[in-house]
Each structure stands twice: as structure tokens, then as C-alpha cells.
Amino acid sequence: MATQQVSPVRVEREDDIAFVVIDNPPVNATSQPVREGLLREISALADDAGVSTIVLIGAGKTFIAGADIREFDRPLRDPQVPAIIAAIEKCEKPVVAAIHGAALGGGFEIALACDDRIATPDAVVGLPEVTLGVIPGAGGTQRLPRLTGVATAIELITSGRRVKAPEAQRLGIIDGVVSGDIREAARRHARHLAKRKRRLSALFVPVSSDEALKKAIENANKGARARTAVKEAIEAIQNSERLPFGEACVVERASFQRLRESEESAALRYLFFAEREAARIPDIADAVARPIAAVGVLGAGTMGSGIAVSFLDAGLPVTLIEQDQEALDRGLERIHGIYDRGVQGGRMTSQEAEQRLHQLRPTLDLKQLVQSDLVIEAVFEDMAIKQSVFRELDAVLKGGAILASNTSYLNIDALASVTSRPADVLGLHFFSPANIMRLLEVVRGAATAGDVLTTALAVAKTIRKLPVIARVGEGFIGNRIYSAYRIQCELMLEEGAYPDEVDSAMTAFGLAMGPFAVGDLSGLDISWRTRQRLAPTRDPKARFPQVLDRLCEAGRFGQKTGAGWYRYPDGARRGTVDPEVNAMIDKVSAEKGITRRSFTAEEIQWRALATMINEAALLLAEGIAARPSDVDVVLVNGYGFPPQKGGPLFWASRRPREQVFQALDVLAAATGYGFQRGGVEGVIENLQKRE
Ligand code: 3HC
Ligand code: NAI
């Protein structure tokens, strides 16, 4: 028997009020059946004499999260959202949007077409389309400025910011914040509603001052994730003052459709789903997270302080341990500094900062960790020190407490092996600055229990991090690829390039910073120590770059010593080219008998990217990362890879195959003896199959 498809849109009548319920789990995206249902029901209710008011409301946890992004890879099927919006505006009866959860993108555009918008206090509204490489495509760039003026609309649309209901009310983009059950509130609202239409399309755009407009445009262009979308969004919003409403909507829609088909948008959509998939571990789906009510952090250095702040920000109490009072005081100063800057920058009130700091328990006494459910170690990167710390912690912690290391490279299994609880040990690799960077590599040891991993994922959510699961291996996912890339960039120096040429080629590609500027920022001594540690495992016949050792031997550790790959006179934060370094590089080339040659930016980029792609294929084959998309999520969120390019593997999957393989051949030839080629073909095919 054929089953009849149940529509995700239904009407529930209460006297003369009609509730149009959108029920399309998990987030009520406007998939084609939803669009069809909305158009059908609104058109029918418009002609229904028994209905005075229509309420749009979402079933489940949200109003409407926006377009179904999965449909963006193919031509959109009719009816499209503008047709629903036209039906709402055409209807002579008032239509109310009753918002709980989220009204985003097309969901908020539908709400903007309604005559009234009410929302629960915790609801969010916004137009996040640019974060997906498109612009609002159903009148959002035209209706929003009619409520806020062009300058505010530019700020909201180009940042894609999600605005909480109380602020949305202050901005005038919703009409009321209601408490209690949203349906009940909507019913009350509908009963007392003036029976009138209030079409935003008929309003004038309030005038923004030239100064506000200039500032909004300047801010929008600063650090934009998707530059093309931001540029087109600004144009579209300004059209609200330049063109008649209908004409501006046509231009907006054309831009939306064009951008939807761009590689930039495909990359950002890919990352949207990749980020959610990264936290999925099929073999532990049933494990239940352990409760985490108190956290301990060991080591109050750069990382320990930031990690402590991440937990304090989430409202959890943190016991912070150091080895001596001086180091503890320095850590506390760092933490207070973070909160002082937060207050000064208007990101929190001084009261909020105080509340969070109140949850911090600094101490030198390890025994104070006895009540902690999770302890994160962030002491020096040295196996012997970490093992000794793990032994001590194991003796102090209560049964069932989870023991994590923030190590950048070291073997988690070797740490677990010195404890009596290897199943409760894992890596939680934060990125610097730990309170700001979203990425968190969750490193699964050979013995790590399923519920410990599930707990780590739950903790990540609590502290608003983006977890990616990695297996044990030198540098896990990110640092392993980054090390290979950095070494290859150093080899290019010995062949003829200079640091500023490599850095500018990589920033021209879109990386936030070049490898040498990054090295100077994080300190060259860290790489130096890692190289010394790994030296015994290296094949002496393999090519290995020398310049970094020379710099470190000369006491040039980067910004902190005023000199590294670049020179930083008088505490400057931007380095200047140092002829001494270039001479040092020339000397190493000569010693190695290399005839220097010049590199084009494109050659540098391909060689660097081929290295990342190859290393990714190698670690995928070893099972260090579970999926190609996990690698991309790590590189984009932890290493400044441009999100609009989707990550190195997504980027490679969109290039002609011959070009990728040719770059791998060049890389293999240049690296020479010992080069290991990864199964890049398979990885690319795997990615293309997903699309
Ligand atoms: N399309 C398709 N699937 C979506 C989706 C969307 N717009 N939004 C969320 N999902 C899926 C997620 O992939 C996830 O699926 P999974 O369970 O299989 O992994 C599931 O819904 C739940 O999502 P989250 O894990 O993100 O759930 P949260 O409760 O944490 O967050 C949310 C809910 C705030 C709605 C968040 O999902 C979100 O921000 N979604 C994206 C909203 C957005 O960007 N909308 C704009 C779309 S563009 C547009 O509307 C164009 C228009 O102008 C024409
Ligand atoms: P850091 O040198 O700034 O801080 C380490 C702190 O640990 C010091 O304050 C030291 O006094 C303290 N410490 C040492 N032994 C201790 C002990 N037995 N008990 C209590 N405290 C002790 O180092 P940083 O940069 O914070 O690194 C810490 C860890 O985080 C390392 O494993 C590092 O590899 C890792 N990491 C570092 C990143 C970075 O960018 N700095 C990024 C990600 C991870």
C-alpha cells in the first residue's frame, strides 16, 4: 500500500485564529515540501472567511532555521521563498510570526514579511547568509533596512550576527518579547491585534548618517569570511535607498542565485556540515556522558590560563594549580588581564567578570583537585615532566575523574600508561588563545573509554568549542600537517625563496598569516625543541632544513626576543625583512651546494598546498583523522586556512586532477629521498562522492 506523504505544514484552528504549524525536524528548514505547504495553506487561509488572523509558528525546538542548505547544490525547486512572502503580503489578514528558538535566513525573511513579530526572550533572529557565501535572497536586504536604516542593516547582514530577542526588540526588528509558552502568547497577541496589515515593503528607509554608513561599510570589509558575499550584500542593502522595492528584490535574488552556485558558497556549506559531522563517533553513539561539575587545570601558563577562562566563561568552577607562587601569580595576572580587556571592550560587565572570577580557585596544593571531575594538564611540553605530573594526579583524583592533556605533539598512550586509569585519559588539545579559538582536538588514546569521549564532546559544547576527534600520532591532525608544511616552506628558502616571499604568497592565497610570521609569533624555540626531540628518529639521508636551527643558535626566537625570521625593532608586532637572515639563508644554500633560483607566488602556493594535501592523505590512511572533512575543519579553524576555500582537501577536490598530481610530483622531486606519497586520489574521490 502506498503511504501518503504527510505535509510538514499543518493548520490548527482556534476560533478565528489559524495557526500555521511548520513541523520539519530537526530545525524546520524551508525544504521544498515546507515551501509548498506554506504557500498552499496561506493562500487557502487568505480566502477563508472564518479566519481573521494567521499565526506562523514552529513545532519542536525552533521557528524556522532558514533555507535547507542541502538543496543549494542543485537548482532550487518551486515554489521558492519569495513566492511565500508574496502570498503573506498579498493576504489581507494580519499574519503574525511567533518565534521561539531561531528565525534565521529565509526563516527571518518570512517573519519580516509578516505584519507582527513576537519572540520568546531566548529566541535569536538574524540573516547569517554571508557566512554561507550568499546574501539573503528573499527580500531580507530590503525589508531589514526599512526597520533599522541602511547602516545597521549592513552591520547585521554582513556579520551574520544572531541577535537575541531583547536586542532585536530594541533595534525594532521584532515587535515584542513575550514570556511563557509561545503559542499561548501568540494567541493572546492575536486576540488584541489591530486588524491591519503592516507591510514593510511599503515603508521608507530611515536615513543613516554618512558617518554611520561609512563606519558600517569599513567594519564589514574588515576580516570578512566571504568577501564576495559581503561586497554584494552591501550593494544590495544600499539598493533599498536607490531602487524601487520590487526592482531591488529582483537584483537581490539574482545575486543570491549567482553566489549560491559559487565555489566560495559551496566551500562554506561544506564546512557547515563538516563541523557538525566532526563530532560524530559512530562506534560510541550509545555512551552516556559523565557529569562534569568541577574542573581542574594544571599549569597557569599561556594555555592553562586560557583554558581556565574557557570554563569560567561557561560558569564552571575551576581549580588552578601551579608549581610555585610566582608562576601562579603570573597566571592570575593573565586571567585578570583577559577579563579586564573583556570589560573594557564592552564584551561583558564588570559584574559578570567578577562573577566568573569568583569561581576560580588558585592554589599550589594538588590535593585540592580531589573534587574535580575533569583535570586538564597544561604544563611544559616534556614527556618526563608530563608523566610525573600524571602519576601525581592519578594518586590524587577521585575514581571516575577524567584526566586530559593539552599536549601539542606527545603520545597520549604513553601518558595514560603511567596511570591506573588509562581508560579515563585522553587529549584535549586547545589552540592559542584558548579562550578564543573554537577548535578543540579531542585525542582518543588506545584505551580511552567511550563515555570519556562522549563526556569530552559534551564539555566542548558547554564551553562552546568545536571538537574534532583525532587518534594518537605525533602532532595529531593539525600540528602534524602544519609541521610538514612549515618544513617544506623552509626547504623552499634553501632553494631560493625568502621568508617574506613565502609569507606573502600564502597570505595572497588567503591564509591569515604566512608560516614564518606565525613561527615568530609563537616562538621558534618550540619548533627547535621538537626538532631536537625528533632528531634521533630522522633518517640522516633525508633532506632537512637548517636555517631555523641557525636562527635559534643565534638567540633569535621570534617576536619575544625582538628577532626571528624577521626583525621586530622596539617591540614592533609586524616584522621587517632582515638582510642578516637572508644572508644566513644564502649561506646555508651555498653550504648545501644548492644553486638558488627564484619562485613565483603560484609555485610557492602549490608546493605548500601539495604538502598539506599529501600529509593529510597519509594521516587519513593511518586513521589519525576519521574523515577528510575533519582535516579541513581543523585547518580552517585552527590554522588560519581561508574558510571560503573550504580547507586544503576541499580546495584540491575542486582543482583539475592533473594539476594536483603534477604539484605532488614537483613536491616529491624537490623533497627527494624518503618522500612518502599519500593516497591523495582516494581522498579526493571520497570528497567528491559526498557532493
Ligand atoms: N539546512 C539543512 N540542515 C540544517 C540547517 C539548514 N539550514 N540548519 C541546521 N541543519 C541540520 C544540521 O546539519 C544538524 O543536522 P545533523 O543532526 O544531521 O547533524 C541539525 O540540523 C541540527 O543542527 P545543529 O546541530 O546546528 O543544532 P543546534 O540546535 O545547535 O542549532 C540552529 C540550531 C541555530 C538553527 C543551527 O542549526 C543553525 O544556525 N543553522 C543554520 C541557519 C542558517 O544559516 N540559515 C540560513 C540559511 S541560508 C538562507 O536561508 C537563504 C535565504 O536567504 C533564501
Ligand atoms: P607555558 O610555559 O606558558 O606554561 C606552562 C606552565 O606550567 C608554567 O607556568 C609552569 O610553571 C607550569 N608547570 C610546570 N610544571 C608544573 C607542575 N608540575 N605543576 C604545576 N604547574 C607546572 O606553556 P604553554 O604554552 O602554556 O604550554 C603548555 C602546554 O600546552 C604544552 O604541552 C604545550 O605544548 C601545549 N600547547 C601550547 C600551545 C601554545 O600555543 N603555547 C598551543 C596548544 C598546546
Side-chain angles (χ1 to χ4, degrees):
M1 199 174 74
T3 49
Q4 209 182 341
Q5 199 75 30
V6 180
S7 171
V9 178
R10 61 177 183 271
V11 173
E12 293 169 1
R13 306 275 284 257
E14 293 187 26
D15 305 327
D16 58 340
I17 305 171
F19 287 86
V20 176
V21 184
I22 302 109
D23 190 357
N24 185 31
V27 293
N28 294 336
T30 55
S31 322
Q32 196 273 344
V34 170
R35 301 196 296 270
E36 197 173 78
L38 278 172
L39 187 60
R40 181 188 62 238
E41 300 302 352
I42 291 164
S43 309
L45 293 168
D47 295 332
D48 188 329
V51 169
S52 68
T53 310
I54 301 169
V55 176
L56 299 189
I57 193 163
K61 65 176 183 179
T62 203
F63 179 69
I64 303 174
D68 184 339
I69 313 167
R70 288 175 214 273
E71 292 182 353
F72 278 17
D73 291 334
R74 283 174 290 278
L76 296 178
R77 285 188 297 148
D78 286 335
Q80 299 190 22
V81 177
I84 299 164
I85 283 174
I88 295 173
E89 286 214 332
K90 188 166 153 237
C91 172
E92 290 304 330
K93 298 162 188 174
V95 183
V96 178
I99 302 168
H100 75 298
L104 297 171
F108 190 47
E109 289 178 301
I110 290 176
L112 286 171
C114 294
D115 303 279
D116 255 10
R117 286 159 291 286
I118 58 168
T120 55
D122 56 353
V124 291
V125 302
L127 296 171
E129 282 85 346
V130 297
T131 62
L132 296 166
V134 293
I135 69 167
T141 64
Q142 303 309 305
R143 288 189 180 83
L144 192 69
R146 284 175 161 75
L147 290 173
T148 63
V150 167
T152 305
I154 288 178
E155 189 272 307
L156 291 172
I157 292 176
T158 60
S159 66
R161 193 156 72 82
R162 286 137 204 251
V163 183
K164 282 236 175 87
E167 187 193 348
Q169 188 181 21
R170 281 198 299 279
L171 289 170
I173 61 181
I174 63 167
D175 305 292
V177 178
V178 293
S179 51
D181 176 59
I182 182 68
R183 180 154 172 155
E184 179 53 42
R187 187 183 303 116
R188 270 197 318 270
H189 189 84
R191 296 233 178 284
H192 297 105
L193 193 66
K195 304 285 177 216
R196 47 132 182 80
K197 289 297 280 183
R198 212 164 52 108
R199 298 177 178 94
L200 299 189
S201 54
L203 301 182
F204 286 106
V205 179
V207 179
S208 302
S209 73
D210 286 348
E211 199 189 334
L213 186 61
K214 190 165 158 263
K215 198 161 156 233
I217 295 177
E218 258 172 34
N219 285 342
N221 286 317
K222 242 188 260 162
R225 248 170 103 100
R227 290 186 194 286
T228 319
V230 164
K231 211 170 104 268
E232 298 214 10
I234 295 171
E235 275 300 303
I237 297 162
Q238 288 189 292
N239 282 345
S240 67
E241 286 182 321
R242 300 194 282 235
L243 299 177
F245 182 85
E247 229 173 275
C249 283
V250 171
V251 176
E252 177 206 67
R253 188 75 185 166
S255 164
F256 162 76
Q257 296 286 27
R258 198 169 358 92
L259 290 170
R260 183 175 64 78
E261 289 169 9
S262 67
E263 186 174 317
E264 186 166 299
S265 174
L268 292 165
R269 296 192 313 259
Y270 158 81
L271 284 173
F272 177 86
F273 292 112
E275 287 182 6
R276 281 157 180 79
E277 200 176 357
R280 222 165 277 152
I281 321 173
D283 63 317
I284 58 149
D286 298 334
V288 179
R290 299 181 191 176
I292 301 292
V295 176
V297 176
L298 197 76
T302 313
M303 293 307 288
S305 310
I307 294 169
V309 169
S310 298
F311 285 96
L312 295 173
D313 282 349
L316 280 157
V318 175
T319 304
L320 182 65
I321 311 266
E322 255 296 346
Q323 53 183 352
D324 56 54
Q325 191 60 45
E326 223 174 282
L328 189 58
D329 289 343
R330 274 200 305 273
L332 290 178
E333 209 174 292
R334 226 174 265 129
I335 293 174
H336 280 269
I338 292 173
Y339 282 117
D340 287 347
R341 286 192 294 279
V343 173
Q344 278 155 20
R347 291 184 291 281
M348 65 184 84
T349 64
S350 53
Q351 211 179 6
E352 278 166 335
E354 255 166 57
Q355 268 167 5
R356 294 180 200 182
L357 281 165
H358 192 65
Q359 295 271 66
L360 178 66
R361 277 139 225 180
T363 174
L364 300 177
D365 178 12
L366 209 65
K367 290 198 193 67
Q368 300 297 320
L369 292 175
V370 67
Q371 289 310 324
S372 299
D373 303 300
L374 164 70
V375 173
I376 300 167
E377 164 280 307
V379 305
F380 302 131
E381 183 78 344
D382 179 294
M383 182 55 92
I385 298 178
K386 285 198 195 281
Q387 280 186 328
S388 125
V389 158
F390 263 60
R391 274 191 204 97
E392 288 178 62
L393 286 171
D394 186 39
V396 167
L397 297 188
K398 65 181 177 189
I402 297 174
L403 189 42
S405 172
N406 181 48
T407 177
S408 308
Y409 292 93
L410 302 177
N411 188 322
I412 298 293
D413 294 334
L415 292 175
S417 70
V418 301
T419 71
S420 64
R421 58 179 92 209
D424 297 343
V425 173
L426 83 169
L428 286 180
H429 181 216
F430 289 77
F431 288 72
S432 183
N435 56 310
I436 294 181
M437 296 287 283
R438 273 175 76 222
L439 183 65
L440 178 68
E441 277 183 332
V442 175
V443 187
R444 179 178 191 174
T448 309
D451 65 338
V452 169
L453 283 170
T454 309
T455 310
L457 297 179
V459 164
K461 195 161 192 165
T462 307
I463 60 173
R464 305 171 89 177
K465 299 287 177 206
L466 171 59
V468 178
I469 309 288
R471 288 277 192 174
V472 175
E474 177 74 21
F476 316 116
I477 301 173
N479 280 343
R480 161 132 174 221
I481 293 176
Y482 202 81
S483 298
Y485 153 73
R486 208 172 37 202
I487 287 172
Q488 199 56 233
C489 290
E490 289 176 36
L491 291 177
M492 285 193 266
L493 296 186
E494 295 183 354
E495 291 165 32
Y498 289 108
D500 60 309
E501 289 172 342
V502 175
D503 279 355
S504 55
M506 295 319 292
T507 50
F509 176 80
L511 259 78
M513 282 171 91
F516 298 110
V518 170
D520 277 356
L521 185 65
S522 48
L524 303 185
D525 48 325
I526 300 177
S527 316
W528 196 31
R529 273 204 306 275
T530 306
R531 282 167 196 229
Q532 284 164 349
R533 177 170 58 80
L534 295 177
T537 61
R538 210 174 293 130
D539 185 340
K541 292 202 288 292
R543 239 189 113 190
F544 199 76
Q546 301 289 312
V547 183
L548 186 130
D549 301 64
R550 303 278 169 96
L551 293 175
C552 290
E553 283 155 16
R556 303 180 66 122
F557 292 161
Q559 280 194 27
K560 60 185 167 190
T561 56
W565 292 107
Y566 298 96
R567 204 202 305 244
Y568 301 85
D570 308 319
R573 298 187 62 178
R574 261 185 90 90
T576 43
V577 171
D578 189 344
E580 245 179 71
V581 174
N582 290 0
M584 223 185 252
I585 294 171
D586 291 345
K587 189 157 173 272
V588 171
S589 307
E591 281 168 15
K592 291 192 168 182
I594 300 170
T595 311
R596 294 180 65 78
R597 65 170 182 99
S598 59
F599 278 79
T600 64
E602 212 191 345
E603 270 179 289
I604 293 171
Q605 291 162 353
W606 269 105
R607 177 105 163 251
L609 285 151
T611 308
M612 294 188 200
I613 296 159
N614 189 62
E615 199 64 29
L618 290 173
L619 68 80
L620 279 161
E622 292 165 32
I624 305 290
R627 325 168 174 88
S629 58
D630 290 358
V631 172
D632 284 338
V633 169
V634 167
L635 269 291
V636 167
N637 290 285
Y639 297 84
F641 196 95
Q644 65 276 16
K645 292 200 159 72
L649 296 177
F650 178 86
W651 179 82
S653 76
R654 294 290 180 124
R655 307 273 80 72
R657 292 271 179 108
E658 321 77 71
Q659 213 173 356
V660 175
F661 298 144
Q662 198 190 345
L664 288 166
D665 290 342
V666 169
L667 172 67
T671 313
Y673 175 83
F675 177 77
Q676 229 191 318
R677 192 163 182 150
V680 172
E681 294 86 338
V683 173
I684 291 180
E685 261 167 34
N686 180 332
L687 266 180
Q688 285 172 336
K689 242 184 267 151
R690 282 170 59 119
E691 286 185 38

